[in-house]
Every structure is written in C-alpha cells, then in structure tokens.
Amino acid sequence: MLTRKQLELLQFIQQRMQESGVPPSFDEMKDALDLKSKSGIHRLITALEERGFLRRLPNRARAIEVIRLPESMTSAPAQRPVQTGEVRRFTPSVVEGGRSKAAPPMRQPMAQAQDESGRAITIPVMGRIAAGTPISAIQNQSHSVTLSPDFLSGGEHYALEVRGDSMIEAGILDGDLVVIKKQDTANTGDIVVALIDDEEATLKRLRRRGSSIALEAANPAYETRVLGPDRVQIQGRLVSLVRRY
C-alpha cells in the first residue's frame, strides 16, 4: 500500500511524463505536493523506488523512470488546475533519435508545421545556442532533423544545438537539439531564444520584472540577467527538443 503523499507524487511524475516525456524537477515536485523542503521528495522517491514503482537512472540529470503503477491508477490522472497568478513551468517534449543527413551550409526557409497528412516534417538546424554564456546565433543551416508534426505547433520552426548546462533543471542538456517556434513575443515563464544587444544569443526562461526583462537560468550555478527591453529581442519559443542517446 502506498501512502497518500507517495501516490500523489507518483501521479504527478506519471502525468508530467505523459505530457512532456521528461520527469519534473525536485522543486516542481516539492511545489506540487506542497512540501517545505526537497528532503521530503527524496524520501518519497526512495520509498517508491524500494516498492518497485520508480527507478532512478545513474549519471543523468532528473533521470526518474516510472516502472509500474498501482491498480488504483488505471487511467491518466486529471491535470492539476492552474491557480490564479500561477505560471505553469514548461518542460519540453523529448524526441529520442538521431539527426538526418547533413545538408550543405546554406540558408533555407524555416519549416512550416502544416503537413495535413501527418507525415514527418524536416526542420533546419541553424547553428548553436548557449545554455550558459551567450554565444553568436542564429547561423546558416548546417543540417536538418526530421520530426513528427505532433511535436510541433502551427507556424515556422527551426532547431538549435544546445551548448552548456544552465538549463539542466528544465530537462535541457548539453548536446540536445531544441526545436524553436519562430516568434518575437513570449509570455513570462516561457523558455526562449533571446538575442542580447544584437550580438549574443542565449536560451533562457523569460521573466518580466516591471519594465525590465529577466533571463533566468535553470541551474543555481548561473545568475539571472536583468536587462532593459530595448536590449533583448525574442527570436523564438521552445516547443520541444531532440536528444541523442
């Protein structure tokens, strides 16, 4: 038998895995269960692991796998409603697999996610993006990646290769390909490609602080940068990512 908190945590992890393919962070689990510290989450995960419901994978950030569910969870749990004033955290959908054959370096039109037949769509990879210290981007197309339309939204998309570890607590690792929907606006809480001073690009979570813009890392080792709106241009919003194992 599971305790109420153990069952709530298992439901929350299973729900997040179904929604995005990536387990929640310890902070997200703590907030979801209304616990005061992450030590309580560690104890619950250990108990679920000992009972054969979860498995932790070594040497990988946020690597929790649901092995089985209790009989009471015969259907997917209901989605937790968003409370007034709450910003729902984004965790990207993950597509496992490789990349398509490299294309000659040339600028191509960004792919439209509008294949009504449901066929796979080729997305251009336009260079690298920093999840750490900002670097130059977006560059010319280097190669491409093929995705199911299920992992895209309407509009134009492109991909960038992640360099750095500043977004690991959002499930974004060094070497991942982030799939970006091209747009010049974003909501607070979105993970975006931000161009700073027309020179440097970075992948960060966007927060609005009065008239300023905060670019927030998902790694406590990195500081949040707070900039004037005239210094930041939004070049797209993260919708999913591709991970090579």
Side-chain angles (χ1 to χ4, degrees):
M1 294 288 293
L2 297 180
T3 67
R4 180 174 60 85
K5 285 295 186 183
Q6 289 169 357
L7 183 60
E8 287 179 359
L9 180 60
L10 187 61
Q11 288 175 328
F12 180 64
I13 294 172
Q14 175 68 3
Q15 175 185 333
R16 185 58 63 86
M17 292 293 291
Q18 289 178 335
E19 291 175 349
S20 66
V22 178
S25 68
F26 276 70
D27 282 327
E28 290 170 325
M29 288 187 272
K30 176 177 67 69
D31 293 342
L33 271 65
D34 196 26
L35 297 179
K36 294 182 178 180
S37 69
K38 289 187 284 189
S39 62
I41 295 298
H42 282 282
R43 289 193 294 270
L44 291 172
I45 288 178
T46 298
L48 289 169
E49 190 174 25
E50 291 174 347
R51 288 162 174 77
F53 291 98
L54 294 180
R55 178 172 61 188
R56 282 183 280 197
L57 305 177
N59 303 320
R60 286 173 53 190
R62 296 173 61 175
I64 300 174
E65 180 181 14
V66 177
I67 300 175
R68 66 185 180 94
L69 300 173
E71 293 182 0
S72 60
M73 292 176 61
T74 55
S75 60
Q79 185 173 359
R80 182 173 65 92
V82 179
Q83 303 297 322
T84 302
E86 176 184 1
V87 177
R88 183 177 296 279
R89 295 188 178 188
F90 174 86
T91 310
S93 302
V94 177
V95 186
E96 298 182 17
R99 302 171 183 169
S100 62
K101 186 177 180 180
M106 64 180 66
R107 185 166 297 279
Q108 298 284 346
M110 295 184 183
Q112 297 280 350
Q114 297 175 347
D115 192 328
E116 296 180 356
S117 67
R119 294 177 297 180
I121 297 174
T122 299
I123 303 297
V125 179
M126 305 299 293
R128 296 177 176 177
I129 186 70
T133 304
I135 58 176
S136 297
I138 300 170
Q139 304 166 11
N140 290 337
Q141 178 181 354
S142 58
H143 55 281
S144 59
V145 62
T146 301
L147 300 176
S148 165
D150 294 337
F151 291 92
L152 305 170
S153 55
E156 298 182 20
H157 294 76
Y158 60 95
L160 294 166
E161 184 177 355
V162 173
R163 281 290 173 262
D165 61 356
S166 73
M167 299 301 291
I168 56 173
E169 291 192 4
I172 303 170
L173 309 182
D174 183 62
D176 285 345
L177 282 178
V178 288
V179 180
I180 306 297
K181 179 181 178 182
K182 185 182 179 184
Q183 57 187 67
D184 57 11
T185 60
N187 297 321
T188 190
D190 286 345
I191 295 177
V192 301
V193 173
L195 184 65
I196 303 171
D197 296 332
D198 293 321
E199 295 179 352
E200 302 172 327
T202 188
L203 185 73
K204 292 291 185 291
R205 194 183 300 278
L206 174 74
R207 302 286 188 194
R208 299 192 184 277
R209 298 184 178 180
S211 61
S212 299
I213 292 177
L215 299 177
E216 179 182 278
N219 182 336
Y222 292 83
E223 295 182 352
T224 296
R225 296 185 66 179
V226 180
L227 304 166
D230 57 326
R231 298 183 59 191
V232 179
Q233 297 178 35
I234 305 302
Q235 300 206 320
R237 175 177 61 86
L238 177 65
V239 295
S240 60
L241 63 83
V242 180
R243 179 165 300 153
R244 298 180 67 185
Y245 290 106

